[in-house]
Amino acid sequence: MIERGAAYREAIVGSPRCIFLRAVVDISGPDMEFLPVEASPAAPWSKPEELHDKDFSAPPRYATLERGRWLLDGSFDVFPEDYQVPEHAGYAAAALSGNDGVFQTPQVVAAPFSGVYALQAFSLFFSTDPLDGVPEDFTVEVLYGETAYFTKTVVQNREAAAAFDGFTVYDPSAIRLTVTKWSLPGRRLRMVECIVGLYEDWDADMLERFFVTQQGDFSCLRLCYGSAEIAMDNSSRRFEPRRKDGIFQSITERQNVDLYLGVLVTGVEYLSLGRYYQAGDGWKTGSNAMTMQWSLVDIIGLLAERTFLPPEVLPETLAGWLEALVLQLGPNFRNRWHADPAYAELPVTANSRDDVAEKKCKDILRWACQASGTWPRADAETGKLTAEPLWNQGNRIDLDNIVSYPTMKANRSLAALIFTLADEEGTEYVVSGNSTASEDTVAIKNPFLHTREQALSAARLILAQYGGNIINLTGRGDPSSEIGDVDTIWLDESTATAARRMVQTFQIQDHALQNCASTLLQADGSYLWTEFAVIRASGKWKAPAGVSQLRIVLGQGGQGGGYGQPGYVGGAGNIPGSGVTSGYGERGADGQGGAVWYGVIDINPEQEFDVILGEGGAPAAAPGEIGTLGGHTTLGAYSSENGRVYPNGYTDIANGQVFARTGVAEPLPGTGDGGWGGEGGEAGSGYWEQQFWPDGRPKGWDFIVTKPPGPGKPGVAGATGFVMVTWEKPEEAKNRTMQGVNYGIL
């Protein structure tokens, strides 16, 4: 879940709501490498290496000897002694323009590069700060060696950016800018960005179609990836396949499009839907080339069908394999991966190069994640190839953000997993699945799984995705939801259920974000902790016979709801004769769910525990006050006092139950739910009436109340806390300790 503030949460479910679409299209050479910038003498704070980082912000304001830029009145900062400014600065020349803006010696900036087959567009960006000025008279060239194969001279320019296309230069080596005159006297040449290729921002006016699918498979038995289909207005024929000199000829595999959806809060708050790439022949025209449609995939889709070319020295960690995978796409992809820091250095080893040579990248990725207890996805915020463990948080789903009630169907079941271990004997190790009645078995030959313990660890994660239910729903779309989130589905005021998001779509129809389908998995959790009990009353609890380990979850009592403010009525501004103001009182604050602590503990056989459930917090006693917090819950020596508060409630994905929600209208005992805040009082009504002296002279105005405002309502008490205990059946734990080939029941 991408964390957002309360204003965003309110806006994304609002009706009506304002949704904005954005696509950043980067048609440049995916194998392009930039060389050091060659330029006229630079100012000491100049950062020419920043000309290719796609940061278009204006340089910071520091006091210099340029006209009007030296006043120490707070308008400008003072340079540090070493001139190493922390902000983005781009290139700044040392020379100043003359009184007429003309440079005594033309100022030159050349940006060399390699790895571009054909260049058909480029853009230069200067400072957008009006105090900096812009180049007025300048010439641009595209070089091959020392020869210019494209030259354009611009005079009387007043724009902070300049874009050029309509040419083709093969194997270009540099873009060179020569400035003879600046728009202001006594100014330096400042340049913030040089884009080699086409880099444009498209909005809804440019896009005719928009459809994004995000998906993942948590079992790592198959590899899912995201895709995007966008169609842009091509009435100008900029992208014309039949023109050999058009921009279309610059389109190659691995070029990317970053997609965003924004919602109007105070301004537009954009969230990324990911980075998607051109893969193969992923385009087509429509309506006599009046539109151009792009079919794109995320970084996993870009990798999936490539044959893995192993490096000379095989990686030995999860992080090493992720880097080796993205490098299959070229050196510019070296940093486009991320691994959870706690898992990045876990050992993931193959016996030899033959184990991974000529395998598909999709299989290498699945196997590395199986061996490390993670799952692969393309991160929506960064677009990077990402391997992380599963998490247990997500958004709240209720009638405000879905268009119909969810439908459910049975999830698939599995009879057994058959592992062939990567040991000298090729040992076969069988782990039975969630249903002996199922006819499906899965054979796994993972070169990174060498021992039965490693195979069993992978089996636990795999079988966590079997059994239980599949939930399908159609919503209005929320870009803050991520694949892997555990969402709480909250369709009545007392109970909720949890399910993990594994597929979601975003589409614009009739100029609105709507009919966004999602698929959520509510597996039965029979992979490890097969038995569970929820304790909803204080007393004693005795562990079952033969159980030596428990997973416990302790929930504090929920907070009571706040007291609603009374309604109001009165003259506007309390000025006699003015209008009437009235309104409902503000609703009381919702009581937060109790803090939750969970962990795995070792116990003695049939150990008995004292259970004390925290009392629910009382609702507030007076308008404007908040309710009291609930008491802490203990199980023996363990306490919810060491836990944390989950804003959308604590979801236990193993059994689909949700606890410790915030603002529940009818909290059930033993859930740790917080109480609903009291409603605000009803608005009153009245009018101004002029008063007169007995002789008829006006003497003033009185405000006459015809309906007194209503009082605020008290909130709801929080629910008592809870204890959830889960454990493994003793006979199942015993089976897993057997030596040799066995049917270790999960």
Side-chain angles (χ1 to χ4, degrees), residues 267-534:
V268 180
E269 188 171 342
Y270 281 102
L271 269 72
S272 173
L273 294 182
R275 172 169 287 183
Y276 298 87
Y277 296 87
Q278 174 81 10
D281 299 326
W283 62 269
K284 66 180 180 180
T285 61
S287 304
N288 190 28
M290 296 293 284
T291 62
M292 176 66 71
Q293 180 170 308
W294 312 84
S295 296
L296 310 167
V297 297
D298 63 20
I299 193 168
I300 294 179
L302 196 61
L303 272 170
E305 296 303 324
R306 290 177 177 267
T307 299
F308 182 72
L309 302 176
E312 288 299 320
V313 178
L314 292 181
E316 296 184 347
T317 63
L318 173 63
W321 285 103
L322 293 179
E323 183 176 58
L325 283 165
V326 296
L327 282 174
Q328 306 292 307
L329 300 172
N332 286 343
F333 286 77
R334 178 181 298 276
N335 297 319
R336 297 190 192 181
W337 64 272
H338 170 76
D340 185 285
Y343 290 74
E345 298 306 315
L346 290 181
V348 178
T349 60
N351 292 326
S352 69
R353 288 169 57 87
D354 292 340
D355 289 338
V356 294
E358 299 184 6
K359 300 296 191 296
K360 295 292 186 182
C361 288
K362 63 182 180 183
D363 294 323
I364 302 294
L365 179 57
R366 291 191 305 106
W367 293 335
C369 288
Q370 280 181 3
S372 58
T374 59
W375 67 285
R377 67 188 181 101
D379 182 69
E381 286 192 278
T382 65
K384 292 182 178 181
L385 173 65
T386 301
E388 293 177 321
L390 292 169
W391 57 86
N392 273 10
Q393 290 193 74
N395 280 324
R396 166 176 167 166
I397 299 173
D398 54 26
L399 295 178
D400 286 335
N401 48 25
I402 60 175
V403 298
S404 60
Y405 279 92
T407 61
M408 300 178 68
K409 65 179 182 180
N411 186 29
R412 56 187 176 170
S413 294
L414 189 68
L417 293 167
I418 305 173
F419 291 90
T420 300
L421 301 181
D423 56 14
E424 292 183 0
E425 296 78 21
T427 303
E428 187 177 88
Y429 180 66
V430 182
V431 179
S432 65
N434 68 302
S435 174
T436 56
S438 173
E439 297 180 355
D440 292 335
T441 60
V442 174
I444 298 175
K445 190 174 182 179
N446 183 337
F448 302 142
L449 299 178
H450 305 278
T451 66
R452 287 182 293 111
E453 289 74 18
Q454 290 176 320
L456 182 58
S457 178
R460 288 171 174 166
L461 293 176
I462 292 170
L463 292 176
Q465 318 311 322
Y466 285 87
N469 306 307
I470 294 290
I471 301 175
N472 294 306
L473 56 86
T474 302
R476 302 172 64 208
D478 183 352
S480 71
S481 291
E482 294 185 283
I483 299 302
D485 282 357
V486 177
D487 293 328
T488 59
I489 303 174
W490 191 335
L491 299 182
D492 65 58
E493 294 301 342
S494 295
T495 59
T497 190
R500 192 178 302 281
R501 185 174 292 267
M502 61 181 186
V503 180
Q504 65 181 0
T505 63
F506 297 92
Q507 63 176 331
I508 301 291
Q509 289 186 328
D510 300 325
H511 307 288
L513 180 66
Q514 59 181 331
N515 296 327
C516 300
S518 298
T519 302
L520 288 80
L521 171 64
Q522 188 184 61
D524 63 13
S526 62
Y527 59 104
L528 180 58
W529 309 101
T530 58
E531 307 299 306
F532 77 94
V534 179

Side-chain angles (χ1 to χ4, degrees), residues 197-242:
L198 182 70
Y199 188 86
E200 294 185 340
D201 231 322
W202 296 352
D203 59 17
D205 292 335
M206 281 284 293
L207 295 168
E208 304 253 339
R209 172 174 165 75
F210 179 90
F211 187 88
V212 172
T213 300
Q214 299 172 337
Q215 56 182 331
D217 187 287
F218 317 121
S219 70
C220 296
L221 292 180
R222 62 190 184 103
L223 193 68
C224 296
Y225 54 83
S227 61
E229 290 187 7
I230 60 173
M232 53 89 61
D233 177 11
N234 195 38
S235 56
S236 65
R237 303 301 177 100
R238 295 182 69 210
F239 296 93
E240 172 55 75
R242 290 165 289 198

Side-chain angles (χ1 to χ4, degrees), residues 10 138 361:
E10 182 177 348
F138 63 92
C361 288

Side-chain angles (χ1 to χ4, degrees), residues 45-62:
W45 61 88
S46 177
K47 297 181 181 179
E49 69 277 5
E50 294 180 341
L51 290 182
H52 306 298
D53 61 4
K54 296 184 173 63
D55 186 337
F56 304 94
S57 56
R61 286 185 169 183
Y62 282 93

Side-chain angles (χ1 to χ4, degrees), residues 143-201:
L143 306 179
Y144 169 73
E146 294 300 320
T147 304
Y149 280 86
F150 170 77
T151 301
K152 178 75 172 180
T153 297
V154 179
V155 296
Q156 296 183 343
N157 171 61
R158 287 294 183 269
E159 302 298 326
F164 303 90
D165 58 24
F167 64 89
T168 302
V169 177
Y170 294 101
D171 298 321
S173 59
I175 293 172
R176 183 164 63 196
L177 166 72
T178 303
V179 180
T180 56
K181 184 179 181 182
W182 203 251
S183 63
L184 295 174
R187 288 292 187 274
R188 306 175 190 274
L189 185 159
R190 282 183 170 86
M191 183 173 171
V192 299
E193 194 68 32
C194 175
I195 298 294
V196 181
L198 182 70
Y199 188 86
E200 294 185 340
D201 231 322

